[in-house]
Amino acid sequence: MVILQVENLSVRYQQRAAVSDVTFGLRRGEVLALVGPNGSGKSSLVRAISGALSPFSGRVLLAGQDVQRLRPAQRARQMAVVPQNALIPPAFTALETVLFGRTPYLNFLGQLSASDEQIARDSLARVEALTLAERRMGELSGGEQQRVLLARALAQQTPILLLDEPTTHLDLKHQVNLLTLTRGLARRDGLAVLIVLHDLNLAAQYADRIALLDEGRLLALGAPTSVLTSEMLSAVYDVPLSVLAHPTQNHPLIAA
Amino acid sequence: MRPYALTLLLLCLALLLSAAIGSVFIPPADLWAALSGQDAGGAFHTILWDIRLPRTLLIALVGAALAGSGAAYQGLFRNPLADPYLIGVASGAGLGAVLAMSVRWPYDFWGLLAVPLAAFGAGLLTVTLVYTFAQSGGSVPTTNLILSGVAVSSFATALTSFLMLRSSGEMRRALGWLLGGVSLGGWNAVWALIPFLLVGLTTLILNSHALNLLQFGDEQAAQLGLNTRRAKLMIIVAASLVTAAAVSFAGIIGFVGLIVPHITRFWWGADYRRVLPLSILGGAAILLLADVLSRIIIAPQELPLGIVTALAGAPFFVWVLRRAKIGGLW
């Protein structure tokens, strides 16, 4: 079932087009990886979907409603975002940071309940960061901060997750753990996950579908084996790339 | 609860000192007698009820207002240097107040109300100007904000000085006021100040979660569910209201709005749900202590309060800033 529909979406910065006429649907229970070279419009697309950028034309429908017309709190109950290069205030603790994910559920006095704190701790535990709960964000490494931001998104308890390169600062173990967790959220809890990834092999391994973006246009969308072909990738990335069959698993393997 | 207990304790101590100390010292026993009304008609009674108490309450309210709005501006602009003075709100409000004073309102309750209203209007206009000048392509860089604050604030200050030089008599009193001499008004000033602070500070406290979220930047704050435009508007209007009211009754008193929120953050953490109320209480206490100092440094004369806060505040601020830098608070 499609929960988020992107319709003919174009985004511009002044005159420069960042996203051009992109259309696709994000389904419940799937992990959709957004891949493409630097500057292909991946982050702009995620920001426009989240409502942070207003589209030049086209629209984003969230359960049938235009995202631009929803109140921020309504949006935040539907979609959680892990932004790229996020501004992170150094003085809050990891737990305090995760608790901000409960914002759309606060009463008008801005009060948290005991269950909010429990949800925040559970979210930290899911990204293996519960031991960091009382540490200040400023003391944490880039990868640890990234996991805390993912926990904050989980604490929002939304049916949709938008993750913009959540693995950049993570070591191999945490990359695999994060992607396994993400896939589990889609499979078990029926979440719809849109994830921007740079690593095509991780995308091939963990995504149900892959969307390939180049110069703001959606070039291909489909199963990893159909999108990740050597002709397509070599043309988009402008380097010769070979696509091999993975020796033990049923997904493609990309090599330069 | 410990931060609140300690801050309240400091505030009570400051209130007592301020009631007792001045050109005439009121010993504790007499202070108690005068406060409880046992020696009605006595000399201490008159000094306490006609001079000391209104002044003490006024200073406490002004300190609360400056520290509360300072904390809010710092959070709103995500800038440790933002305070009512640096971003020009206070100078703008000062200009508005002087303009209103030049109309020679009577010093009754309603006349006193006209000055803060004019100051509020001018303060709001100033902060809007500063913010507009500082804007560059949708964002407001810190340096731009400070530079445009300095520019607009110098302009307003120059206009204020011009107005004061051009006039005489009435405006002479305004000069003493501008330097932070809090002698005007008595009880009327206290009553006139209270509604402004009640509305403004309550609004700020209700927005403390929003201030927390704004520390992540507008985009993340909105993605977390905050209506950023509405929240920022409410914060800026409330903080400017409170600043304007304080400036109208106490003139230019720097550093309180800068230092008190920093100390609060340094000791009790960055959460605005704590920083705001603690800054408000702490600001009242610190300004009272500064006022007590202003009465004893060159007694029997008094120093303008603004001079004391700057003399004591600047070095202390440097120290706090160094410690905070080491602690990674900003």
Side-chain angles (χ1 to χ4, degrees), chain B residues 85-116:
Chain B
Y85 294 89
L86 215 65
I87 60 167
V89 184
S91 322
L95 177 60
V98 168
L99 273 172
M101 282 178 186
S102 64
V103 182
R104 296 172 193 225
W105 301 94
Y107 279 103
D108 64 4
F109 179 74
W110 294 109
L112 281 167
L113 217 53
V115 176

mmCIF file of all heavy atoms in Angstrom, chain B residues 85-116:
data_model
loop_
_atom_site.group_PDB
_atom_site.id
_atom_site.type_symbol
_atom_site.label_atom_id
_atom_site.label_comp_id
_atom_site.label_asym_id
_atom_site.label_seq_id
_atom_site.Cartn_x
_atom_site.Cartn_y
_atom_site.Cartn_z
ATOM 1 N N TYR B 85 20.685 44.175 24.781
ATOM 2 C CA TYR B 85 21.447 45.351 24.378
ATOM 3 C C TYR B 85 22.171 45.131 23.077
ATOM 4 O O TYR B 85 22.154 45.965 22.179
ATOM 5 C CB TYR B 85 22.405 45.753 25.500
ATOM 6 C CG TYR B 85 21.582 46.187 26.660
ATOM 7 C CD1 TYR B 85 21.172 45.272 27.612
ATOM 8 C CD2 TYR B 85 21.099 47.482 26.713
ATOM 9 C CE1 TYR B 85 20.311 45.639 28.621
ATOM 10 C CE2 TYR B 85 20.239 47.863 27.720
ATOM 11 C CZ TYR B 85 19.854 46.952 28.669
ATOM 12 O OH TYR B 85 18.993 47.324 29.634
ATOM 13 N N LEU B 86 22.807 43.970 22.977
ATOM 14 C CA LEU B 86 23.627 43.711 21.797
ATOM 15 C C LEU B 86 22.803 43.669 20.520
ATOM 16 O O LEU B 86 23.271 44.079 19.466
ATOM 17 C CB LEU B 86 24.377 42.387 21.988
ATOM 18 C CG LEU B 86 25.765 42.404 21.382
ATOM 19 C CD1 LEU B 86 26.630 43.407 22.097
ATOM 20 C CD2 LEU B 86 26.373 41.034 21.456
ATOM 21 N N ILE B 87 21.588 43.161 20.575
ATOM 22 C CA ILE B 87 20.834 43.113 19.336
ATOM 23 C C ILE B 87 19.952 44.343 19.151
ATOM 24 O O ILE B 87 19.122 44.382 18.260
ATOM 25 C CB ILE B 87 19.993 41.833 19.220
ATOM 26 C CG1 ILE B 87 19.011 41.751 20.362
ATOM 27 C CG2 ILE B 87 20.851 40.598 19.177
ATOM 28 C CD1 ILE B 87 17.975 40.690 20.113
ATOM 29 N N GLY B 88 20.169 45.370 20.007
ATOM 30 C CA GLY B 88 19.583 46.677 19.729
ATOM 31 C C GLY B 88 18.193 46.914 20.291
ATOM 32 O O GLY B 88 17.692 48.032 20.228
ATOM 33 N N VAL B 89 17.567 45.877 20.853
ATOM 34 C CA VAL B 89 16.206 46.057 21.351
ATOM 35 C C VAL B 89 16.170 47.107 22.452
ATOM 36 O O VAL B 89 15.308 47.995 22.464
ATOM 37 C CB VAL B 89 15.637 44.738 21.921
ATOM 38 C CG1 VAL B 89 14.204 44.935 22.336
ATOM 39 C CG2 VAL B 89 15.750 43.654 20.887
ATOM 40 N N ALA B 90 17.148 47.045 23.342
ATOM 41 C CA ALA B 90 17.136 47.955 24.483
ATOM 42 C C ALA B 90 17.340 49.396 24.041
ATOM 43 O O ALA B 90 16.650 50.301 24.514
ATOM 44 C CB ALA B 90 18.202 47.541 25.489
ATOM 45 N N SER B 91 18.275 49.622 23.119
ATOM 46 C CA SER B 91 18.502 50.988 22.657
ATOM 47 C C SER B 91 17.276 51.523 21.945
ATOM 48 O O SER B 91 16.917 52.690 22.113
ATOM 49 C CB SER B 91 19.696 51.036 21.705
ATOM 50 O OG SER B 91 20.680 50.164 22.130
ATOM 51 N N GLY B 92 16.656 50.676 21.134
ATOM 52 C CA GLY B 92 15.432 51.084 20.454
ATOM 53 C C GLY B 92 14.354 51.427 21.456
ATOM 54 O O GLY B 92 13.676 52.462 21.353
ATOM 55 N N ALA B 93 14.198 50.556 22.458
ATOM 56 C CA ALA B 93 13.201 50.799 23.491
ATOM 57 C C ALA B 93 13.532 52.082 24.249
ATOM 58 O O ALA B 93 12.642 52.869 24.602
ATOM 59 C CB ALA B 93 13.132 49.613 24.449
ATOM 60 N N GLY B 94 14.824 52.329 24.490
ATOM 61 C CA GLY B 94 15.260 53.552 25.165
ATOM 62 C C GLY B 94 14.843 54.779 24.386
ATOM 63 O O GLY B 94 14.320 55.749 24.949
ATOM 64 N N LEU B 95 15.049 54.713 23.077
ATOM 65 C CA LEU B 95 14.652 55.838 22.222
ATOM 66 C C LEU B 95 13.148 56.077 22.320
ATOM 67 O O LEU B 95 12.700 57.216 22.483
ATOM 68 C CB LEU B 95 15.057 55.547 20.773
ATOM 69 C CG LEU B 95 14.643 56.596 19.735
ATOM 70 C CD1 LEU B 95 15.256 57.947 20.063
ATOM 71 C CD2 LEU B 95 15.042 56.157 18.335
ATOM 72 N N GLY B 96 12.390 54.979 22.237
ATOM 73 C CA GLY B 96 10.939 55.101 22.357
ATOM 74 C C GLY B 96 10.541 55.715 23.683
ATOM 75 O O GLY B 96 9.671 56.597 23.750
ATOM 76 N N ALA B 97 11.206 55.289 24.755
ATOM 77 C CA ALA B 97 10.878 55.799 26.085
ATOM 78 C C ALA B 97 11.185 57.288 26.188
ATOM 79 O O ALA B 97 10.392 58.064 26.723
ATOM 80 C CB ALA B 97 11.653 55.014 27.144
ATOM 81 N N VAL B 98 12.344 57.681 25.660
ATOM 82 C CA VAL B 98 12.724 59.098 25.735
ATOM 83 C C VAL B 98 11.764 59.955 24.917
ATOM 84 O O VAL B 98 11.355 61.047 25.340
ATOM 85 C CB VAL B 98 14.182 59.285 25.272
ATOM 86 C CG1 VAL B 98 14.497 60.767 25.069
ATOM 87 C CG2 VAL B 98 15.130 58.696 26.291
ATOM 88 N N LEU B 99 11.379 59.434 23.744
ATOM 89 C CA LEU B 99 10.384 60.146 22.937
ATOM 90 C C LEU B 99 9.102 60.351 23.732
ATOM 91 O O LEU B 99 8.531 61.441 23.760
ATOM 92 C CB LEU B 99 10.077 59.356 21.659
ATOM 93 C CG LEU B 99 10.989 59.608 20.458
ATOM 94 C CD1 LEU B 99 10.676 58.631 19.350
ATOM 95 C CD2 LEU B 99 10.840 61.044 19.971
ATOM 96 N N ALA B 100 8.668 59.279 24.396
ATOM 97 C CA ALA B 100 7.430 59.368 25.177
ATOM 98 C C ALA B 100 7.594 60.328 26.347
ATOM 99 O O ALA B 100 6.684 61.087 26.688
ATOM 100 C CB ALA B 100 7.030 57.986 25.663
ATOM 101 N N MET B 101 8.791 60.336 26.966
ATOM 102 C CA MET B 101 9.026 61.226 28.117
ATOM 103 C C MET B 101 9.006 62.675 27.682
ATOM 104 O O MET B 101 8.619 63.561 28.439
ATOM 105 C CB MET B 101 10.385 60.914 28.742
ATOM 106 C CG MET B 101 10.377 59.686 29.607
ATOM 107 S SD MET B 101 12.049 59.407 30.233
ATOM 108 C CE MET B 101 11.803 57.843 31.027
ATOM 109 N N SER B 102 9.470 62.924 26.438
ATOM 110 C CA SER B 102 9.539 64.301 25.974
ATOM 111 C C SER B 102 8.135 64.889 25.802
ATOM 112 O O SER B 102 7.964 66.094 25.692
ATOM 113 C CB SER B 102 10.327 64.395 24.666
ATOM 114 O OG SER B 102 9.643 63.698 23.658
ATOM 115 N N VAL B 103 7.130 64.008 25.802
ATOM 116 C CA VAL B 103 5.754 64.494 25.730
ATOM 117 C C VAL B 103 5.285 64.964 27.116
ATOM 118 O O VAL B 103 4.263 65.613 27.248
ATOM 119 C CB VAL B 103 4.830 63.382 25.181
ATOM 120 C CG1 VAL B 103 3.391 63.835 25.045
ATOM 121 C CG2 VAL B 103 5.330 62.895 23.826
ATOM 122 N N ARG B 104 6.070 64.684 28.156
ATOM 123 C CA ARG B 104 5.762 65.083 29.534
ATOM 124 C C ARG B 104 4.444 64.516 30.051
ATOM 125 O O ARG B 104 3.527 65.242 30.395
ATOM 126 C CB ARG B 104 5.733 66.603 29.655
ATOM 127 C CG ARG B 104 7.081 67.197 29.366
ATOM 128 C CD ARG B 104 6.997 68.683 29.303
ATOM 129 N NE ARG B 104 8.237 69.182 28.721
ATOM 130 C CZ ARG B 104 8.906 70.202 29.196
ATOM 131 N NH1 ARG B 104 8.473 70.846 30.243
ATOM 132 N NH2 ARG B 104 10.007 70.598 28.628
ATOM 133 N N TRP B 105 4.392 63.208 30.059
ATOM 134 C CA TRP B 105 3.250 62.588 30.705
ATOM 135 C C TRP B 105 3.349 62.842 32.197
ATOM 136 O O TRP B 105 4.444 62.985 32.718
ATOM 137 C CB TRP B 105 3.251 61.076 30.475
ATOM 138 C CG TRP B 105 3.221 60.698 29.041
ATOM 139 C CD1 TRP B 105 4.280 60.417 28.248
ATOM 140 C CD2 TRP B 105 2.065 60.545 28.224
ATOM 141 N NE1 TRP B 105 3.878 60.111 26.979
ATOM 142 C CE2 TRP B 105 2.513 60.180 26.938
ATOM 143 C CE3 TRP B 105 0.688 60.696 28.443
ATOM 144 C CZ2 TRP B 105 1.643 59.956 25.898
ATOM 145 C CZ3 TRP B 105 -0.165 60.462 27.394
ATOM 146 C CH2 TRP B 105 0.309 60.109 26.128
ATOM 147 N N PRO B 106 2.210 62.918 32.873
ATOM 148 C CA PRO B 106 2.275 63.038 34.336
ATOM 149 C C PRO B 106 2.810 61.740 34.934
ATOM 150 O O PRO B 106 2.689 60.684 34.323
ATOM 151 C CB PRO B 106 0.814 63.262 34.739
ATOM 152 C CG PRO B 106 0.012 62.709 33.601
ATOM 153 C CD PRO B 106 0.843 62.899 32.372
ATOM 154 N N TYR B 107 3.443 61.834 36.108
ATOM 155 C CA TYR B 107 3.999 60.638 36.722
ATOM 156 C C TYR B 107 2.955 59.867 37.521
ATOM 157 O O TYR B 107 3.175 59.486 38.649
ATOM 158 C CB TYR B 107 5.191 60.972 37.621
ATOM 159 C CG TYR B 107 6.448 61.154 36.817
ATOM 160 C CD1 TYR B 107 6.954 62.417 36.550
ATOM 161 C CD2 TYR B 107 7.121 60.050 36.297
ATOM 162 C CE1 TYR B 107 8.094 62.585 35.792
ATOM 163 C CE2 TYR B 107 8.264 60.212 35.535
ATOM 164 C CZ TYR B 107 8.736 61.485 35.281
ATOM 165 O OH TYR B 107 9.863 61.636 34.520
ATOM 166 N N ASP B 108 1.771 59.704 36.939
ATOM 167 C CA ASP B 108 0.803 58.833 37.616
ATOM 168 C C ASP B 108 0.829 57.477 36.920
ATOM 169 O O ASP B 108 1.634 57.234 36.035
ATOM 170 C CB ASP B 108 -0.597 59.462 37.578
ATOM 171 C CG ASP B 108 -1.135 59.595 36.158
ATOM 172 O OD1 ASP B 108 -0.457 59.129 35.228
ATOM 173 O OD2 ASP B 108 -2.210 60.182 35.991
ATOM 174 N N PHE B 109 -0.074 56.605 37.319
ATOM 175 C CA PHE B 109 -0.087 55.245 36.805
ATOM 176 C C PHE B 109 -0.184 55.217 35.282
ATOM 177 O O PHE B 109 0.582 54.556 34.600
ATOM 178 C CB PHE B 109 -1.259 54.480 37.431
ATOM 179 C CG PHE B 109 -1.381 53.061 36.941
ATOM 180 C CD1 PHE B 109 -0.486 52.090 37.368
ATOM 181 C CD2 PHE B 109 -2.387 52.719 36.059
ATOM 182 C CE1 PHE B 109 -0.596 50.798 36.912
ATOM 183 C CE2 PHE B 109 -2.502 51.415 35.604
ATOM 184 C CZ PHE B 109 -1.609 50.450 36.030
ATOM 185 N N TRP B 110 -1.127 55.981 34.720
ATOM 186 C CA TRP B 110 -1.350 55.930 33.272
ATOM 187 C C TRP B 110 -0.218 56.586 32.505
ATOM 188 O O TRP B 110 0.157 56.118 31.434
ATOM 189 C CB TRP B 110 -2.696 56.571 32.912
ATOM 190 C CG TRP B 110 -3.822 55.767 33.481
ATOM 191 C CD1 TRP B 110 -4.625 56.112 34.514
ATOM 192 C CD2 TRP B 110 -4.229 54.458 33.068
ATOM 193 N NE1 TRP B 110 -5.505 55.094 34.780
ATOM 194 C CE2 TRP B 110 -5.287 54.075 33.910
ATOM 195 C CE3 TRP B 110 -3.783 53.579 32.078
ATOM 196 C CZ2 TRP B 110 -5.915 52.831 33.794
ATOM 197 C CZ3 TRP B 110 -4.411 52.356 31.959
ATOM 198 C CH2 TRP B 110 -5.470 51.986 32.803
ATOM 199 N N GLY B 111 0.321 57.678 33.082
ATOM 200 C CA GLY B 111 1.470 58.312 32.451
ATOM 201 C C GLY B 111 2.646 57.348 32.388
ATOM 202 O O GLY B 111 3.365 57.272 31.397
ATOM 203 N N LEU B 112 2.813 56.592 33.467
ATOM 204 C CA LEU B 112 3.909 55.635 33.520
ATOM 205 C C LEU B 112 3.705 54.500 32.524
ATOM 206 O O LEU B 112 4.639 53.900 32.035
ATOM 207 C CB LEU B 112 4.035 55.065 34.934
ATOM 208 C CG LEU B 112 4.747 55.987 35.915
ATOM 209 C CD1 LEU B 112 4.548 55.495 37.334
ATOM 210 C CD2 LEU B 112 6.225 56.082 35.590
ATOM 211 N N LEU B 113 2.439 54.205 32.233
ATOM 212 C CA LEU B 113 2.144 53.139 31.288
ATOM 213 C C LEU B 113 2.481 53.544 29.859
ATOM 214 O O LEU B 113 2.835 52.719 29.021
ATOM 215 C CB LEU B 113 0.663 52.775 31.395
ATOM 216 C CG LEU B 113 0.295 51.299 31.236
ATOM 217 C CD1 LEU B 113 1.104 50.433 32.183
ATOM 218 C CD2 LEU B 113 -1.190 51.114 31.486
ATOM 219 N N ALA B 114 2.369 54.857 29.564
ATOM 220 C CA ALA B 114 2.618 55.331 28.201
ATOM 221 C C ALA B 114 4.067 55.105 27.799
ATOM 222 O O ALA B 114 4.355 54.758 26.650
ATOM 223 C CB ALA B 114 2.272 56.824 28.101
ATOM 224 N N VAL B 115 4.979 55.289 28.763
ATOM 225 C CA VAL B 115 6.400 55.136 28.444
ATOM 226 C C VAL B 115 6.741 53.705 28.018
ATOM 227 O O VAL B 115 7.335 53.495 26.959
ATOM 228 C CB VAL B 115 7.268 55.620 29.627
ATOM 229 C CG1 VAL B 115 8.734 55.363 29.341
ATOM 230 C CG2 VAL B 115 7.031 57.099 29.880
ATOM 231 N N PRO B 116 6.351 52.681 28.797
ATOM 232 C CA PRO B 116 6.675 51.323 28.329
ATOM 233 C C PRO B 116 5.996 50.960 27.020
ATOM 234 O O PRO B 116 6.569 50.211 26.222
ATOM 235 C CB PRO B 116 6.195 50.413 29.456
ATOM 236 C CG PRO B 116 5.398 51.246 30.357
ATOM 237 C CD PRO B 116 5.814 52.653 30.161
#
